[in-house]
């Protein structure tokens, strides 16, 4: 139910049919020059105890090792755009881009996508060069469980001022890595330059991941979570992120000094302003609208479902 006038895109779904989550995967290095996730996953590959909880196992995965090795976003193709059914299910050829081959490997490792065998939850770790702080990115269709997870992360990390961003796709199918699991969430933290590791951003991301593992454990152990209202930002299409952009406000400055004004009919909230990775996509920023949603309570699992591994 949406409390605003814009409506809420996407339908609520129950959390994996009210079953505990037993298999969780945390991925970093989907883009090889986003260093917080790269270094966190490399640390957890050496010592994964920080991720583990009594009721589930968590597996760290370095998603794009070739791009990580060369410290670039991708080798041939953006990996986080490669998880469509067409790509994953098409016949392999010798000329396939590296990331297409890697996407199929990851699909076999943590999927297959849209199957009962897929991992229960996937948390994908990203950085942005944009000054947008901590952003929790949902797909256009999301579950009550994921919304409650976002709410929990905001409550447990009040100093981060986390925003929740609903990414809408022009196509029906999600194409990001987090869509391979039964449910997923992307963490996007910035500003951090490409190929650079900032200690504060690293620590913030680590705290969010630990909080996410704690929430899954609470859910598996039978904790109920009450209903709540929450503001989210929803893409309309594709300097401070999430500041209102009003009609008539300047958005670009030409080389001759002339301002280009925003000609929209309503106030919007820009996201990913001057994101370096989007220059190749000719995208200066994304536009979003801010809405308030009412999220139903997340009921406790039955005692028969909450037995530990």
């Amino acid at each position: 139910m949406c409390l605003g006038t814009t409506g809420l895109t996407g339908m609520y779904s129950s959390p994996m049919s009210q079953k505990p989550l037993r298999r969780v995967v945390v991925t970093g290095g989907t883009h090889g020059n986003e260093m917080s996730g790269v270094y966190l996953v490399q640390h957890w590959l050496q010592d994964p105890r920080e991720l583990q909880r009594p009721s589930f196992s968590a597996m760290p995965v370095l998603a794009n090792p070739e791009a990580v090795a060369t410290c670039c976003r991708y080798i041939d193709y953006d990996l986080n755009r490669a998880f469509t059914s067409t790509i994953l299910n098409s016949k392999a050829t010798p000329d396939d881009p590296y990331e297409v081959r890697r996407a199929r490997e990851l699909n076999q490792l943590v999927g297959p996508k849209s199957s009962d065998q897929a991992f229960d939850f996937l948390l994908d770790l990203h950085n942005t060069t944009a000054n947008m702080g901590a952003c929790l990115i949902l797909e256009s269709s999301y579950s009550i469980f994921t919304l409650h997870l976002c709410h929990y992360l905001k409550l447990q990390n009040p100093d981060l001022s986390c925003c929740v961003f609903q990414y809408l796709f022009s196509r029906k199918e999600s194409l990001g890595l987090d869509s391979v699991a039964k449910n997923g969430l992307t963490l996007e933290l910035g500003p951090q330059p490409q190929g650079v590791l900032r200690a504060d951003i690293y620590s913030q991301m680590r705290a969010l991941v630990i909080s996410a593992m704690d929430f899954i454990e609470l859910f598996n152990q039978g904790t109920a979570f009450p209903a709540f209202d929450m503001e989210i930002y929803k893409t309309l299409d594709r300097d401070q992120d999430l500041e209102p952009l009003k009609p008539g406000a300047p958005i670009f400055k030409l080389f001759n000094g002339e301002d280009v004004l925003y000609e929209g009919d309503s106030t919007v909230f820009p996201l990913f302003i001057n994101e370096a990775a989007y220059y190749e996509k000719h995208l200066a920023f994304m536009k979003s609208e801010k809405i308030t949603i009412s999220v139903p309570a997340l009921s406790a699992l039955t005692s028969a479902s909450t037995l530990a591994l």
Side-chain angles (χ1 to χ4, degrees), residues 36 127 133 189-192 198-206:
S36 297
N127 291 118
L189 273 69
Q192 178 169 280
R198 282 182 49 177
D200 56 343
I201 301 293
Y202 175 93
S203 297
Q204 291 166 12
M205 183 174 284
R206 187 177 194 170

Side-chain angles (χ1 to χ4, degrees), residues 129-151:
T129 61
N131 185 23
M132 56 192 294
C135 194
L136 316 176
I137 302 179
L138 304 163
E139 299 178 6
S140 55
S141 177
Y142 42 67
S143 71
I144 298 173
F145 176 87
T146 308
L147 290 168
H148 275 271
L149 170 58
C150 291
H151 184 59

Side-chain angles (χ1 to χ4, degrees), residues 252-300:
F252 300 111
K253 186 175 287 293
L254 303 180
F255 289 112
N256 63 7
E258 180 182 348
D259 287 337
V260 177
L261 306 183
Y262 172 54
E263 298 179 351
D265 297 326
S266 61
T267 299
V268 298
F269 295 81
L271 291 157
F272 292 102
I273 297 173
N274 263 342
E275 164 58 52
Y278 290 170
Y279 273 56
E280 68 177 35
K281 306 178 190 301
H282 306 289
L283 183 66
F285 57 83
M286 294 182 180
K287 293 186 296 182
S288 72
E289 60 182 342
K290 182 165 64 174
I291 63 175
T292 301
I293 59 173
S294 292
V295 180
L298 182 61
S299 58

Side-chain angles (χ1 to χ4, degrees), residues 86-139:
T86 299
I87 290 177
L88 297 177
N89 299 324
S90 60
K91 185 177 180 180
T93 71
D95 297 328
D96 284 337
Y98 165 72
E99 277 81 10
V100 168
R101 290 183 276 116
R102 181 58 178 161
R104 294 180 183 134
E105 292 172 358
L106 290 168
N107 187 52
Q108 291 302 310
L109 178 66
V110 302
K113 184 175 180 177
S114 303
S115 74
D116 292 337
Q117 292 74 43
F119 269 59
D120 295 313
F121 197 85
L122 191 152
L123 191 63
D124 195 23
L125 309 181
H126 288 260
N127 291 118
T128 176
T129 61
N131 185 23
M132 56 192 294
C135 194
L136 316 176
I137 302 179
L138 304 163
E139 299 178 6

